[in-house]
Amino acid sequence: MRLGVNSVWRDWKVVRLIGQGSFGDVYEIHRELFGITEKAALKVITIPKENSEIEELYSDGYDNESVTQHFRDCKDNILKEYAMMAKLKGNPNVVHCEDLETVQHSDGIGWDIYIRMELMTPLTKVLDERRLTEEEIVNVGRDICSALIKCETQGI
């Protein structure tokens, strides 16, 4: 993470790394508000993730302007995905994205994107902890179908 969460949202503190993927890292974050601990997930996407991505574009004949535009397009695509997720807000079966910030890198090439979202327990972790009853399995199936229907109504 190039910048800490505190540079974007001062009250939130990183508690732990939840996971890492090809597009970014996800952290559990907390803040104290009126004696209550609020919890959330923070996805941090760094574009480009590696300096080698920039070097590869230069070796392909890109100039400074086209390299910057390439990564701006990548950032804009992620912001469009966030906008799609915002359309799904309020559906109890879809993770809620709560806030978004982008910070351009000091060299002008690339961005850090911070997405604060609902902290959830992965289904795989629930399944590791106990065996679901048949009724619970049917309810999970219904919830998944409900989320898919909501996505379809939004053109996703």
Side-chain angles (χ1 to χ4, degrees):
M1 175 165 43
R2 193 180 289 248
L3 294 172
V5 65
N6 293 338
S7 62
V8 179
W9 296 300
R10 286 187 294 232
D11 297 338
W12 291 94
K13 307 287 184 241
V14 174
V15 174
R16 68 184 175 100
L17 176 68
I18 296 173
Q20 296 178 297
S22 57
F23 290 104
D25 302 332
V26 179
Y27 299 87
E28 181 175 340
I29 58 175
H30 293 181
R31 77 173 171 184
E32 295 293 323
L33 192 61
F34 303 111
I36 298 170
T37 301
E38 288 187 296
K39 298 179 180 183
L42 173 68
K43 185 166 192 171
V44 180
I45 303 168
T46 299
I47 301 171
K49 192 162 179 131
E50 305 284 336
N51 283 336
S52 61
E53 295 175 59
I54 297 170
E55 294 165 12
E56 185 177 331
L57 291 174
Y58 283 131
S59 69
D60 288 345
Y62 284 61
D63 61 11
N64 284 342
E65 186 177 321
S66 56
V67 167
T68 301
Q69 185 60 50
H70 171 79
F71 292 119
R72 182 178 292 115
D73 292 344
C74 292
K75 173 195 59 110
D76 290 346
N77 286 334
I78 291 168
L79 299 183
K80 287 176 188 172
E81 287 182 30
Y82 178 87
M84 281 192 299
M85 290 300 296
K87 288 181 180 180
L88 298 173
K89 194 169 184 173
N91 185 308
N93 302 307
V94 178
V95 66
H96 299 181
C97 293
E98 300 296 336
D99 208 349
L100 172 123
E101 289 292 332
T102 60
V103 178
Q104 188 169 19
H105 294 169
S106 59
D107 63 7
I109 301 175
W111 283 264
D112 290 318
I113 301 168
Y114 299 88
I115 304 171
R116 187 171 54 85
M117 58 184 68
E118 177 181 19
L119 180 65
M120 304 187 74
T121 303
L123 182 59
T124 54
K125 186 173 183 178
V126 172
L127 294 176
D128 285 346
E129 293 173 358
R130 65 183 185 85
R131 187 176 175 99
L132 296 180
T133 66
E134 185 176 324
E135 181 180 348
E136 289 172 317
I137 292 169
V138 169
N139 287 336
V140 167
R142 285 186 182 132
D143 290 347
I144 291 169
C145 289
S146 172
L148 290 172
I149 289 168
K150 181 68 174 179
C151 288
E152 184 179 32
T153 63
Q154 295 297 321
I156 299 171

PDB file of all heavy atoms in Angstrom, residues 121-151:
ATOM      1  N   THR A 121     -18.040 -12.083   6.408  1.00  0.00           N
ATOM      2  CA  THR A 121     -17.387 -13.363   6.641  1.00  0.00           C
ATOM      3  C   THR A 121     -17.566 -14.203   5.392  1.00  0.00           C
ATOM      4  O   THR A 121     -18.702 -14.430   4.963  1.00  0.00           O
ATOM      5  CB  THR A 121     -18.020 -14.087   7.847  1.00  0.00           C
ATOM      6  OG1 THR A 121     -17.925 -13.238   8.990  1.00  0.00           O
ATOM      7  CG2 THR A 121     -17.329 -15.409   8.119  1.00  0.00           C
ATOM      8  N   PRO A 122     -16.479 -14.672   4.787  1.00  0.00           N
ATOM      9  CA  PRO A 122     -16.614 -15.492   3.575  1.00  0.00           C
ATOM     10  C   PRO A 122     -17.375 -16.788   3.857  1.00  0.00           C
ATOM     11  O   PRO A 122     -17.212 -17.393   4.924  1.00  0.00           O
ATOM     12  CB  PRO A 122     -15.162 -15.799   3.177  1.00  0.00           C
ATOM     13  CG  PRO A 122     -14.326 -14.818   3.920  1.00  0.00           C
ATOM     14  CD  PRO A 122     -15.093 -14.445   5.156  1.00  0.00           C
ATOM     15  N   LEU A 123     -18.196 -17.195   2.912  1.00  0.00           N
ATOM     16  CA  LEU A 123     -18.966 -18.426   3.059  1.00  0.00           C
ATOM     17  C   LEU A 123     -18.045 -19.616   3.302  1.00  0.00           C
ATOM     18  O   LEU A 123     -18.356 -20.499   4.097  1.00  0.00           O
ATOM     19  CB  LEU A 123     -19.837 -18.663   1.815  1.00  0.00           C
ATOM     20  CG  LEU A 123     -20.729 -19.903   1.849  1.00  0.00           C
ATOM     21  CD1 LEU A 123     -21.697 -19.871   3.028  1.00  0.00           C
ATOM     22  CD2 LEU A 123     -21.498 -20.029   0.538  1.00  0.00           C
ATOM     23  N   THR A 124     -16.887 -19.622   2.653  1.00  0.00           N
ATOM     24  CA  THR A 124     -15.955 -20.744   2.840  1.00  0.00           C
ATOM     25  C   THR A 124     -15.494 -20.850   4.292  1.00  0.00           C
ATOM     26  O   THR A 124     -15.304 -21.951   4.804  1.00  0.00           O
ATOM     27  CB  THR A 124     -14.733 -20.596   1.912  1.00  0.00           C
ATOM     28  OG1 THR A 124     -14.148 -19.310   2.121  1.00  0.00           O
ATOM     29  CG2 THR A 124     -15.109 -20.773   0.457  1.00  0.00           C
ATOM     30  N   LYS A 125     -15.349 -19.712   4.969  1.00  0.00           N
ATOM     31  CA  LYS A 125     -14.956 -19.739   6.375  1.00  0.00           C
ATOM     32  C   LYS A 125     -16.095 -20.282   7.234  1.00  0.00           C
ATOM     33  O   LYS A 125     -15.871 -21.057   8.156  1.00  0.00           O
ATOM     34  CB  LYS A 125     -14.548 -18.349   6.844  1.00  0.00           C
ATOM     35  CG  LYS A 125     -14.002 -18.350   8.252  1.00  0.00           C
ATOM     36  CD  LYS A 125     -13.438 -17.017   8.647  1.00  0.00           C
ATOM     37  CE  LYS A 125     -12.852 -17.119  10.038  1.00  0.00           C
ATOM     38  NZ  LYS A 125     -12.251 -15.871  10.471  1.00  0.00           N
ATOM     39  N   VAL A 126     -17.323 -19.891   6.917  1.00  0.00           N
ATOM     40  CA  VAL A 126     -18.487 -20.411   7.647  1.00  0.00           C
ATOM     41  C   VAL A 126     -18.572 -21.919   7.466  1.00  0.00           C
ATOM     42  O   VAL A 126     -18.816 -22.661   8.421  1.00  0.00           O
ATOM     43  CB  VAL A 126     -19.791 -19.726   7.165  1.00  0.00           C
ATOM     44  CG1 VAL A 126     -21.015 -20.393   7.771  1.00  0.00           C
ATOM     45  CG2 VAL A 126     -19.762 -18.241   7.493  1.00  0.00           C
ATOM     46  N   LEU A 127     -18.338 -22.370   6.240  1.00  0.00           N
ATOM     47  CA  LEU A 127     -18.415 -23.804   5.965  1.00  0.00           C
ATOM     48  C   LEU A 127     -17.301 -24.578   6.662  1.00  0.00           C
ATOM     49  O   LEU A 127     -17.490 -25.737   7.019  1.00  0.00           O
ATOM     50  CB  LEU A 127     -18.374 -24.056   4.456  1.00  0.00           C
ATOM     51  CG  LEU A 127     -19.582 -23.542   3.676  1.00  0.00           C
ATOM     52  CD1 LEU A 127     -19.390 -23.763   2.181  1.00  0.00           C
ATOM     53  CD2 LEU A 127     -20.870 -24.191   4.152  1.00  0.00           C
ATOM     54  N   ASP A 128     -16.141 -23.948   6.861  1.00  0.00           N
ATOM     55  CA  ASP A 128     -15.051 -24.603   7.584  1.00  0.00           C
ATOM     56  C   ASP A 128     -15.387 -24.780   9.056  1.00  0.00           C
ATOM     57  O   ASP A 128     -14.922 -25.710   9.690  1.00  0.00           O
ATOM     58  CB  ASP A 128     -13.754 -23.783   7.468  1.00  0.00           C
ATOM     59  CG  ASP A 128     -13.106 -23.917   6.104  1.00  0.00           C
ATOM     60  OD1 ASP A 128     -13.493 -24.831   5.340  1.00  0.00           O
ATOM     61  OD2 ASP A 128     -12.210 -23.098   5.793  1.00  0.00           O
ATOM     62  N   GLU A 129     -16.185 -23.843   9.608  1.00  0.00           N
ATOM     63  CA  GLU A 129     -16.473 -23.849  11.035  1.00  0.00           C
ATOM     64  C   GLU A 129     -17.584 -24.832  11.421  1.00  0.00           C
ATOM     65  O   GLU A 129     -17.607 -25.339  12.522  1.00  0.00           O
ATOM     66  CB  GLU A 129     -16.843 -22.441  11.499  1.00  0.00           C
ATOM     67  CG  GLU A 129     -15.676 -21.476  11.407  1.00  0.00           C
ATOM     68  CD  GLU A 129     -16.053 -20.038  11.693  1.00  0.00           C
ATOM     69  OE1 GLU A 129     -17.250 -19.761  11.924  1.00  0.00           O
ATOM     70  OE2 GLU A 129     -15.149 -19.191  11.667  1.00  0.00           O
ATOM     71  N   ARG A 130     -18.504 -25.074  10.509  1.00  0.00           N
ATOM     72  CA  ARG A 130     -19.602 -25.990  10.839  1.00  0.00           C
ATOM     73  C   ARG A 130     -20.288 -26.478   9.570  1.00  0.00           C
ATOM     74  O   ARG A 130     -20.125 -25.916   8.500  1.00  0.00           O
ATOM     75  CB  ARG A 130     -20.616 -25.322  11.756  1.00  0.00           C
ATOM     76  CG  ARG A 130     -21.350 -24.154  11.123  1.00  0.00           C
ATOM     77  CD  ARG A 130     -22.275 -23.507  12.137  1.00  0.00           C
ATOM     78  NE  ARG A 130     -23.057 -22.469  11.536  1.00  0.00           N
ATOM     79  CZ  ARG A 130     -24.206 -22.658  10.881  1.00  0.00           C
ATOM     80  NH1 ARG A 130     -24.714 -23.864  10.768  1.00  0.00           N
ATOM     81  NH2 ARG A 130     -24.862 -21.638  10.351  1.00  0.00           N
ATOM     82  N   ARG A 131     -21.064 -27.497   9.722  1.00  0.00           N
ATOM     83  CA  ARG A 131     -21.804 -28.062   8.604  1.00  0.00           C
ATOM     84  C   ARG A 131     -23.189 -27.392   8.553  1.00  0.00           C
ATOM     85  O   ARG A 131     -23.884 -27.298   9.561  1.00  0.00           O
ATOM     86  CB  ARG A 131     -21.940 -29.560   8.811  1.00  0.00           C
ATOM     87  CG  ARG A 131     -22.527 -30.299   7.666  1.00  0.00           C
ATOM     88  CD  ARG A 131     -22.516 -31.800   7.980  1.00  0.00           C
ATOM     89  NE  ARG A 131     -23.180 -32.512   6.944  1.00  0.00           N
ATOM     90  CZ  ARG A 131     -22.554 -33.126   5.956  1.00  0.00           C
ATOM     91  NH1 ARG A 131     -21.246 -33.111   5.899  1.00  0.00           N
ATOM     92  NH2 ARG A 131     -23.230 -33.762   5.036  1.00  0.00           N
ATOM     93  N   LEU A 132     -23.574 -26.908   7.367  1.00  0.00           N
ATOM     94  CA  LEU A 132     -24.874 -26.266   7.220  1.00  0.00           C
ATOM     95  C   LEU A 132     -25.983 -27.316   7.139  1.00  0.00           C
ATOM     96  O   LEU A 132     -25.798 -28.400   6.578  1.00  0.00           O
ATOM     97  CB  LEU A 132     -24.911 -25.411   5.953  1.00  0.00           C
ATOM     98  CG  LEU A 132     -23.970 -24.217   5.896  1.00  0.00           C
ATOM     99  CD1 LEU A 132     -24.137 -23.495   4.567  1.00  0.00           C
ATOM    100  CD2 LEU A 132     -24.222 -23.251   7.039  1.00  0.00           C
ATOM    101  N   THR A 133     -27.144 -26.928   7.663  1.00  0.00           N
ATOM    102  CA  THR A 133     -28.306 -27.804   7.534  1.00  0.00           C
ATOM    103  C   THR A 133     -28.854 -27.673   6.113  1.00  0.00           C
ATOM    104  O   THR A 133     -28.514 -26.733   5.384  1.00  0.00           O
ATOM    105  CB  THR A 133     -29.411 -27.396   8.531  1.00  0.00           C
ATOM    106  OG1 THR A 133     -29.899 -26.099   8.160  1.00  0.00           O
ATOM    107  CG2 THR A 133     -28.899 -27.390   9.958  1.00  0.00           C
ATOM    108  N   GLU A 134     -29.729 -28.571   5.740  1.00  0.00           N
ATOM    109  CA  GLU A 134     -30.341 -28.521   4.401  1.00  0.00           C
ATOM    110  C   GLU A 134     -31.111 -27.206   4.221  1.00  0.00           C
ATOM    111  O   GLU A 134     -31.049 -26.578   3.168  1.00  0.00           O
ATOM    112  CB  GLU A 134     -31.275 -29.713   4.208  1.00  0.00           C
ATOM    113  CG  GLU A 134     -31.842 -29.803   2.812  1.00  0.00           C
ATOM    114  CD  GLU A 134     -32.686 -31.060   2.610  1.00  0.00           C
ATOM    115  OE1 GLU A 134     -32.347 -32.121   3.163  1.00  0.00           O
ATOM    116  OE2 GLU A 134     -33.698 -30.953   1.893  1.00  0.00           O
ATOM    117  N   GLU A 135     -31.817 -26.788   5.253  1.00  0.00           N
ATOM    118  CA  GLU A 135     -32.573 -25.534   5.182  1.00  0.00           C
ATOM    119  C   GLU A 135     -31.638 -24.336   4.965  1.00  0.00           C
ATOM    120  O   GLU A 135     -31.931 -23.434   4.176  1.00  0.00           O
ATOM    121  CB  GLU A 135     -33.383 -25.332   6.462  1.00  0.00           C
ATOM    122  CG  GLU A 135     -34.210 -24.072   6.460  1.00  0.00           C
ATOM    123  CD  GLU A 135     -35.010 -23.879   7.757  1.00  0.00           C
ATOM    124  OE1 GLU A 135     -35.111 -24.823   8.559  1.00  0.00           O
ATOM    125  OE2 GLU A 135     -35.517 -22.767   7.944  1.00  0.00           O
ATOM    126  N   GLU A 136     -30.497 -24.321   5.664  1.00  0.00           N
ATOM    127  CA  GLU A 136     -29.533 -23.232   5.489  1.00  0.00           C
ATOM    128  C   GLU A 136     -28.959 -23.220   4.074  1.00  0.00           C
ATOM    129  O   GLU A 136     -28.760 -22.149   3.489  1.00  0.00           O
ATOM    130  CB  GLU A 136     -28.405 -23.355   6.515  1.00  0.00           C
ATOM    131  CG  GLU A 136     -28.853 -23.043   7.934  1.00  0.00           C
ATOM    132  CD  GLU A 136     -27.784 -23.350   8.965  1.00  0.00           C
ATOM    133  OE1 GLU A 136     -27.123 -24.407   8.867  1.00  0.00           O
ATOM    134  OE2 GLU A 136     -27.615 -22.516   9.891  1.00  0.00           O
ATOM    135  N   ILE A 137     -28.710 -24.392   3.530  1.00  0.00           N
ATOM    136  CA  ILE A 137     -28.188 -24.488   2.157  1.00  0.00           C
ATOM    137  C   ILE A 137     -29.202 -23.934   1.168  1.00  0.00           C
ATOM    138  O   ILE A 137     -28.859 -23.168   0.252  1.00  0.00           O
ATOM    139  CB  ILE A 137     -27.808 -25.942   1.818  1.00  0.00           C
ATOM    140  CG1 ILE A 137     -26.600 -26.364   2.661  1.00  0.00           C
ATOM    141  CG2 ILE A 137     -27.516 -26.110   0.324  1.00  0.00           C
ATOM    142  CD1 ILE A 137     -26.301 -27.840   2.624  1.00  0.00           C
ATOM    143  N   VAL A 138     -30.476 -24.271   1.358  1.00  0.00           N
ATOM    144  CA  VAL A 138     -31.532 -23.750   0.487  1.00  0.00           C
ATOM    145  C   VAL A 138     -31.607 -22.227   0.613  1.00  0.00           C
ATOM    146  O   VAL A 138     -31.735 -21.512  -0.389  1.00  0.00           O
ATOM    147  CB  VAL A 138     -32.895 -24.413   0.819  1.00  0.00           C
ATOM    148  CG1 VAL A 138     -34.047 -23.696   0.130  1.00  0.00           C
ATOM    149  CG2 VAL A 138     -32.878 -25.886   0.434  1.00  0.00           C
ATOM    150  N   ASN A 139     -31.489 -21.710   1.842  1.00  0.00           N
ATOM    151  CA  ASN A 139     -31.525 -20.262   2.050  1.00  0.00           C
ATOM    152  C   ASN A 139     -30.339 -19.560   1.382  1.00  0.00           C
ATOM    153  O   ASN A 139     -30.501 -18.480   0.802  1.00  0.00           O
ATOM    154  CB  ASN A 139     -31.563 -19.929   3.544  1.00  0.00           C
ATOM    155  CG  ASN A 139     -32.918 -20.243   4.164  1.00  0.00           C
ATOM    156  OD1 ASN A 139     -33.943 -20.288   3.471  1.00  0.00           O
ATOM    157  ND2 ASN A 139     -32.927 -20.470   5.458  1.00  0.00           N
ATOM    158  N   VAL A 140     -29.170 -20.154   1.439  1.00  0.00           N
ATOM    159  CA  VAL A 140     -28.007 -19.584   0.759  1.00  0.00           C
ATOM    160  C   VAL A 140     -28.260 -19.545  -0.743  1.00  0.00           C
ATOM    161  O   VAL A 140     -27.985 -18.545  -1.412  1.00  0.00           O
ATOM    162  CB  VAL A 140     -26.716 -20.377   1.082  1.00  0.00           C
ATOM    163  CG1 VAL A 140     -25.579 -19.988   0.149  1.00  0.00           C
ATOM    164  CG2 VAL A 140     -26.304 -20.175   2.535  1.00  0.00           C
ATOM    165  N   GLY A 141     -28.821 -20.628  -1.288  1.00  0.00           N
ATOM    166  CA  GLY A 141     -29.156 -20.672  -2.717  1.00  0.00           C
ATOM    167  C   GLY A 141     -30.140 -19.576  -3.097  1.00  0.00           C
ATOM    168  O   GLY A 141     -29.972 -18.906  -4.125  1.00  0.00           O
ATOM    169  N   ARG A 142     -31.139 -19.353  -2.264  1.00  0.00           N
ATOM    170  CA  ARG A 142     -32.115 -18.278  -2.515  1.00  0.00           C
ATOM    171  C   ARG A 142     -31.447 -16.907  -2.488  1.00  0.00           C
ATOM    172  O   ARG A 142     -31.744 -16.041  -3.308  1.00  0.00           O
ATOM    173  CB  ARG A 142     -33.243 -18.333  -1.488  1.00  0.00           C
ATOM    174  CG  ARG A 142     -34.231 -19.440  -1.726  1.00  0.00           C
ATOM    175  CD  ARG A 142     -35.397 -19.327  -0.758  1.00  0.00           C
ATOM    176  NE  ARG A 142     -36.298 -20.433  -0.975  1.00  0.00           N
ATOM    177  CZ  ARG A 142     -36.795 -21.195  -0.022  1.00  0.00           C
ATOM    178  NH1 ARG A 142     -36.502 -20.947   1.249  1.00  0.00           N
ATOM    179  NH2 ARG A 142     -37.602 -22.190  -0.300  1.00  0.00           N
ATOM    180  N   ASP A 143     -30.573 -16.717  -1.496  1.00  0.00           N
ATOM    181  CA  ASP A 143     -29.864 -15.438  -1.390  1.00  0.00           C
ATOM    182  C   ASP A 143     -29.007 -15.183  -2.623  1.00  0.00           C
ATOM    183  O   ASP A 143     -28.961 -14.056  -3.135  1.00  0.00           O
ATOM    184  CB  ASP A 143     -28.993 -15.407  -0.136  1.00  0.00           C
ATOM    185  CG  ASP A 143     -29.808 -15.335   1.150  1.00  0.00           C
ATOM    186  OD1 ASP A 143     -31.033 -15.054   1.079  1.00  0.00           O
ATOM    187  OD2 ASP A 143     -29.224 -15.564   2.225  1.00  0.00           O
ATOM    188  N   ILE A 144     -28.324 -16.205  -3.102  1.00  0.00           N
ATOM    189  CA  ILE A 144     -27.499 -16.064  -4.304  1.00  0.00           C
ATOM    190  C   ILE A 144     -28.378 -15.719  -5.502  1.00  0.00           C
ATOM    191  O   ILE A 144     -28.054 -14.813  -6.285  1.00  0.00           O
ATOM    192  CB  ILE A 144     -26.673 -17.339  -4.561  1.00  0.00           C
ATOM    193  CG1 ILE A 144     -25.596 -17.495  -3.471  1.00  0.00           C
ATOM    194  CG2 ILE A 144     -26.034 -17.318  -5.955  1.00  0.00           C
ATOM    195  CD1 ILE A 144     -24.895 -18.845  -3.486  1.00  0.00           C
ATOM    196  N   CYS A 145     -29.495 -16.411  -5.643  1.00  0.00           N
ATOM    197  CA  CYS A 145     -30.422 -16.122  -6.753  1.00  0.00           C
ATOM    198  C   CYS A 145     -30.966 -14.697  -6.657  1.00  0.00           C
ATOM    199  O   CYS A 145     -31.069 -13.999  -7.674  1.00  0.00           O
ATOM    200  CB  CYS A 145     -31.566 -17.133  -6.770  1.00  0.00           C
ATOM    201  SG  CYS A 145     -31.055 -18.786  -7.279  1.00  0.00           S
ATOM    202  N   SER A 146     -31.285 -14.259  -5.440  1.00  0.00           N
ATOM    203  CA  SER A 146     -31.788 -12.898  -5.247  1.00  0.00           C
ATOM    204  C   SER A 146     -30.744 -11.879  -5.698  1.00  0.00           C
ATOM    205  O   SER A 146     -31.072 -10.894  -6.377  1.00  0.00           O
ATOM    206  CB  SER A 146     -32.145 -12.673  -3.777  1.00  0.00           C
ATOM    207  OG  SER A 146     -32.448 -11.332  -3.536  1.00  0.00           O
ATOM    208  N   ALA A 147     -29.482 -12.108  -5.344  1.00  0.00           N
ATOM    209  CA  ALA A 147     -28.403 -11.201  -5.753  1.00  0.00           C
ATOM    210  C   ALA A 147     -28.249 -11.207  -7.267  1.00  0.00           C
ATOM    211  O   ALA A 147     -28.078 -10.153  -7.881  1.00  0.00           O
ATOM    212  CB  ALA A 147     -27.098 -11.599  -5.069  1.00  0.00           C
ATOM    213  N   LEU A 148     -28.328 -12.373  -7.885  1.00  0.00           N
ATOM    214  CA  LEU A 148     -28.193 -12.464  -9.350  1.00  0.00           C
ATOM    215  C   LEU A 148     -29.343 -11.754 -10.050  1.00  0.00           C
ATOM    216  O   LEU A 148     -29.139 -11.081 -11.064  1.00  0.00           O
ATOM    217  CB  LEU A 148     -28.106 -13.921  -9.779  1.00  0.00           C
ATOM    218  CG  LEU A 148     -26.811 -14.642  -9.408  1.00  0.00           C
ATOM    219  CD1 LEU A 148     -26.922 -16.131  -9.712  1.00  0.00           C
ATOM    220  CD2 LEU A 148     -25.618 -14.022 -10.106  1.00  0.00           C
ATOM    221  N   ILE A 149     -30.551 -11.876  -9.514  1.00  0.00           N
ATOM    222  CA  ILE A 149     -31.708 -11.185 -10.102  1.00  0.00           C
ATOM    223  C   ILE A 149     -31.517  -9.680 -10.005  1.00  0.00           C
ATOM    224  O   ILE A 149     -31.770  -8.950 -10.960  1.00  0.00           O
ATOM    225  CB  ILE A 149     -33.009 -11.647  -9.413  1.00  0.00           C
ATOM    226  CG1 ILE A 149     -33.340 -13.096  -9.819  1.00  0.00           C
ATOM    227  CG2 ILE A 149     -34.178 -10.703  -9.764  1.00  0.00           C
ATOM    228  CD1 ILE A 149     -34.426 -13.740  -8.982  1.00  0.00           C
ATOM    229  N   LYS A 150     -31.051  -9.204  -8.843  1.00  0.00           N
ATOM    230  CA  LYS A 150     -30.807  -7.780  -8.672  1.00  0.00           C
ATOM    231  C   LYS A 150     -29.747  -7.286  -9.670  1.00  0.00           C
ATOM    232  O   LYS A 150     -29.900  -6.225 -10.273  1.00  0.00           O
ATOM    233  CB  LYS A 150     -30.366  -7.490  -7.234  1.00  0.00           C
ATOM    234  CG  LYS A 150     -30.119  -6.034  -6.953  1.00  0.00           C
ATOM    235  CD  LYS A 150     -31.381  -5.227  -6.977  1.00  0.00           C
ATOM    236  CE  LYS A 150     -31.104  -3.792  -6.554  1.00  0.00           C
ATOM    237  NZ  LYS A 150     -32.266  -2.958  -6.572  1.00  0.00           N
ATOM    238  N   CYS A 151     -28.697  -8.063  -9.855  1.00  0.00           N
ATOM    239  CA  CYS A 151     -27.658  -7.704 -10.836  1.00  0.00           C
ATOM    240  C   CYS A 151     -28.250  -7.622 -12.236  1.00  0.00           C
ATOM    241  O   CYS A 151     -27.988  -6.676 -12.986  1.00  0.00           O
ATOM    242  CB  CYS A 151     -26.522  -8.736 -10.815  1.00  0.00           C
ATOM    243  SG  CYS A 151     -25.480  -8.655  -9.353  1.00  0.00           S
TER     244      CYS A 151
END
